Amino acid sequence: MITVLGVTTLVLVAGPPRVFSSAAGGAHLKPPHSVEVSITDDTFILQWASGGDPGGNVTFSADYQTLTMSNWMKLPGCQYIASTNCDFSSLKISVYDEVKLRVRAEEGNSTSPWRELGPFIPYEEARIGPPKVHLEAEDKAIIITISPPGGKDSLMWAMDKSRFKYSIVSWRSPSGAQVPRETPYPRYLMSNLSPETTYCVKVKARLYLRRRPAVESPVYCVNTTVESVDKLPAPENVRVSGEEQAYVLQWNHTLENATFQAQWLYAFLKKTENYEAEWAQVPNCENVRAAWCVVPRNAFGKGIYFLRVRASQGNRTSPWSEETEFDTDSQTVIPPPVMVLKAVNNSLRVYVGSQSKSAHQRYPLTYEIIFWEKTSNAERKIVEKRTDFAIPNLKELTVYCVKARALLQSRKWNNSSEFGETVCERTKPGKSPSTWLVAVTCAVFAVAAALCALQCLRRLVDYVFFPNHTPPSAIDQYVSEQSLKNILLSTSEEQTEKCFIIENMDTVATVEEANQTGEGHKAYSSQTSEDSGNYSNEEESGGRANHDLAQEDCLWRE
């Protein structure tokens, strides 16, 4: 058998859960099926369905294994069981360990194959069981004492006892309307009941932040007692309000010539048993005759407390009032907000903020704004989460007054400040259509003037840095287009020019230069006398020399 178990363990590691064959025959025995585990609080139940016909001498046995174990071990409370379920609550393992179970059928020396249940963690599979409830009746109240699921020695909920909250459903028997209540504390006072009446209660426990199936408790019923004539009524509506330097504890009571006593308790102590001895006297609230007392702020450190009050008259005392929860943070005084107004046309711009920083500033404030015309009493109210906003569509040139207060509304708090100082401001004229028309016209003229200025500037730049090469009209009228062409034309296109050579006072020679086409030069000479004729051969060389000088002089003049 030991060898077979070793082989079985290897198969468990190597493959998925399945039906394992047995070494001791048992071919006619079928393994159990529909194997399930049911865990409620600290009660562990393994159940299954028989694979064959019930009857005979068939029994069932189960084994278990954790991740830290190499072999299967016998499951306590589940060996040779004739029924189809067994209780293995005595198994000593951690509720956070991963566990595997297997079960088989046995008859004589024959055994069926194992049927294995996949790994599970007991804590994750556990249901919350029904809490135990104890009722204590008075004439007009019932004290409900709740024991946490699993009892005080529970291993399953050892880490969660302080995290339970309880849903209480009560009704007037036999057919009254059901009234649901919730409390995180195991002791709860139902008050304002009728004497000599039967009331019934059932309770279910839940865990914070965990959705887990839970089982309701059985129904518990009790009769309230007969009302005593001499019994003083308990104070009602116990409440606390915060002031700048103190707390004010108040309550309601109808008796005259009565004295009152108030007690306090740390809230966390209410989750313990026998906390009655932990109640302490509230400073300045003992034997007071008024229905209120003032408690210094330093009497309570930061935290959550419970308060209760009772009345006394001679030798008679009333029952304690309902216990009122008191959170010091929720009684933080919120100072009135500071506000600034600014007129913008026919609207008011509002700037609002807190005067000081305190605990409440971890949560966003909301501001209640009330405004009205100074000459009227008709008030209007708006609520804003912003600290900078506008009140639009107001009358032009009208004085409006505004006041504000801060509101703190959250799951934990519901508080408000006093109204701050009233601020008044006169609105300005609005922007009419004629104003818009004038503004648009001015804008158009401004754009046109800017474009003209830019054009003038462009012309100035062009005139200074990029001058025109065309001569002015005053010069252009004296210079013909043909003369300009003569200057720019090449030498080949130059035209003839007449030159005059003065040989002496009596002789003038005229020379005409020929074009590049090869025309000959002609020379003319004349004398002041009446004689005319050709040059002599002797004078021919001198005439040619003068002709060459004339040509050079003409070229230089050109």
Side-chain angles (χ1 to χ4, degrees):
M1 178 62 74
I2 295 176
T3 304
V4 174
L5 287 176
V7 173
T8 302
T9 302
L10 291 175
V11 173
L12 283 171
V13 174
R18 62 178 185 270
V19 177
F20 297 96
S21 60
S22 174
H28 65 286
L29 286 178
K30 294 182 179 180
H33 61 88
S34 303
V35 181
E36 296 178 353
V37 64
S38 175
I39 304 175
T40 302
D41 297 338
D42 292 273
T43 301
F44 294 63
I45 302 295
L46 178 64
Q47 53 192 12
W48 59 89
S50 177
D53 295 333
N57 296 321
V58 177
T59 60
F60 302 91
S61 296
D63 291 349
Y64 78 96
Q65 186 183 49
T66 64
L67 291 179
T68 58
M69 298 168 57
S70 58
N71 295 322
W72 290 88
M73 303 294 293
K74 294 185 179 299
L75 187 65
C78 296
Q79 300 300 315
Y80 308 109
I81 302 299
S83 62
T84 57
N85 61 77
C86 63
D87 186 338
F88 62 101
S89 303
S90 59
L91 180 63
K92 302 300 182 183
I93 61 170
S94 171
V95 296
Y96 304 103
D97 284 346
E98 189 174 88
V99 184
K100 293 189 292 184
L101 301 177
R102 66 180 184 178
V103 62
R104 69 180 179 181
E106 301 167 337
E107 186 177 15
N109 293 328
S110 299
T111 58
S112 72
W114 290 103
R115 178 73 69 177
E116 184 176 325
L117 178 65
F120 65 94
I121 298 174
Y123 181 79
E124 298 294 336
E125 300 294 328
R127 296 186 303 170
I128 300 174
K132 294 181 179 180
V133 180
H134 175 73
L135 303 180
E136 182 181 346
E138 297 179 354
D139 54 353
K140 293 184 179 181
I142 296 176
I143 300 174
I144 304 174
T145 304
I146 306 170
S147 298
K152 62 180 181 179
D153 297 327
S154 173
L155 297 177
M156 182 64 69
W157 314 120
M159 305 296 293
D160 299 311
K161 288 182 180 180
S162 62
R163 298 172 55 205
F164 278 116
K165 63 178 180 180
Y166 302 98
S167 299
I168 302 173
V169 178
S170 62
W171 64 94
R172 183 172 180 173
S173 182
S175 58
Q178 293 189 351
V179 180
R181 300 176 174 87
E182 278 201 355
T183 178
Y185 305 107
R187 185 180 172 94
Y188 185 81
L189 177 67
M190 282 197 329
S191 58
N192 300 323
L193 305 179
S194 300
E196 302 181 79
T197 306
T198 302
Y199 289 90
C200 295
V201 173
K202 59 182 179 181
V203 181
K204 180 187 289 187
R206 301 180 185 275
L207 280 176
Y208 281 109
L209 305 178
R210 285 184 178 271
R211 293 186 176 181
R212 189 183 291 271
V215 181
E216 276 188 337
S217 71
V219 175
Y220 297 86
C221 297
V222 69
N223 292 327
T224 53
T225 61
V226 178
E227 184 177 8
S228 175
V229 179
D230 296 332
K231 188 176 181 180
L232 295 179
E236 298 177 347
N237 193 23
V238 178
R239 58 200 180 277
V240 180
S241 60
E243 301 294 339
E244 191 67 30
Q245 300 296 331
Y247 300 112
V248 179
L249 177 61
Q250 298 173 286
W251 56 89
N252 295 340
H253 204 274
T254 58
L255 289 180
E256 295 181 358
N257 300 324
T259 59
F260 302 94
Q261 176 188 9
Q263 291 184 340
W264 66 272
L265 176 76
Y266 286 113
F268 68 87
L269 291 177
K270 284 201 68 175
K271 295 189 176 182
T272 62
E273 295 183 2
N274 303 320
Y275 64 85
E276 279 293 324
E278 303 296 333
W279 286 94
Q281 179 63 43
V282 176
N284 298 343
C285 291
E286 185 176 10
N287 297 324
V288 295
R289 293 190 174 275
W292 54 271
C293 60
V294 178
V295 185
R297 276 192 172 267
N298 57 12
F300 294 103
K302 184 177 179 180
I304 302 175
Y305 302 85
F306 274 91
L307 302 172
R308 66 182 184 180
V309 181
R310 73 177 177 183
S312 300
Q313 193 177 57
N315 295 326
R316 298 184 301 165
T317 58
S318 72
W320 288 104
S321 67
E322 288 190 47
E323 297 165 359
T324 299
E325 188 175 13
F326 164 52
D327 188 345
T328 56
D329 277 350
S330 66
Q331 297 301 325
T332 301
V333 176
I334 304 175
V338 178
M339 183 174 56
V340 177
L341 295 183
K342 181 179 180 182
V344 181
N345 300 322
N346 61 338
S347 64
L348 289 177
R349 195 78 183 180
V350 181
Y351 304 91
V352 63
S354 179
Q355 291 186 14
S356 61
K357 296 185 178 293
S358 56
H360 67 80
Q361 297 220 339
R362 292 174 293 176
Y363 303 90
L365 291 175
T366 304
Y367 297 97
E368 179 183 334
I369 311 297
I370 295 179
F371 63 97
W372 65 94
E373 294 181 24
K374 191 172 183 179
T375 58
S376 171
N377 294 325
E379 294 183 344
R380 285 179 281 176
K381 181 178 74 172
I382 59 174
V383 177
E384 280 286 346
K385 292 184 178 180
R386 297 171 296 171
T387 58
D388 178 6
F389 56 91
I391 304 176
N393 303 324
L394 302 178
K395 293 181 181 180
E396 300 178 7
L397 302 175
T398 304
V399 178
Y400 284 87
C401 294
V402 184
K403 64 180 181 180
R405 69 172 179 173
L407 306 177
L408 181 60
Q409 296 174 338
S410 66
R411 179 188 62 83
K412 186 177 181 181
W413 293 338
N414 186 6
N415 202 355
S416 63
S417 72
E418 298 293 333
F419 278 100
E421 294 184 2
T422 300
V423 182
C424 297
E425 185 71 20
R426 181 186 179 91
T427 56
K428 295 181 178 180
K431 293 184 178 180
S432 61
S434 58
T435 304
W436 281 103
L437 182 61
V438 172
V440 172
T441 305
C442 293
V444 171
F445 278 107
V447 171
L451 291 176
C452 291
L454 289 175
Q455 182 69 13
C456 294
L457 179 63
R458 185 184 68 80
R459 290 182 178 181
L460 179 62
V461 171
D462 288 344
Y463 179 79
V464 174
F465 296 100
F466 307 101
N468 194 349
H469 297 287
T470 304
S473 58
I475 300 177
D476 192 42
Q477 62 182 349
Y478 296 104
V479 179
S480 63
E481 182 178 357
Q482 187 64 33
S483 62
L484 291 176
K485 286 184 178 180
N486 293 340
I487 297 174
L488 298 176
L489 286 175
S490 60
T491 306
S492 61
E493 296 180 354
E494 291 180 357
Q495 301 198 2
T496 61
E497 182 177 349
K498 292 182 179 182
C499 297
F500 297 92
I501 302 173
I502 302 175
E503 294 180 356
N504 50 44
M505 296 298 295
D506 298 325
T507 305
V508 177
T510 303
V511 180
E512 180 178 338
E513 292 181 2
N515 293 330
Q516 290 182 353
T517 56
E519 272 188 39
H521 296 279
K522 294 181 180 181
Y524 298 90
S525 62
S526 60
Q527 291 182 348
T528 56
S529 65
E530 294 180 355
D531 294 337
S532 64
N534 295 329
Y535 286 100
S536 62
N537 290 334
E538 292 81 7
E539 296 174 348
E540 185 176 356
S541 59
R544 289 181 179 175
N546 293 334
H547 181 268
D548 292 337
L549 292 174
Q551 282 186 338
E552 291 179 0
D553 183 61
C554 290
L555 291 175
W556 177 84
R557 291 179 59 185
E558 291 179 358

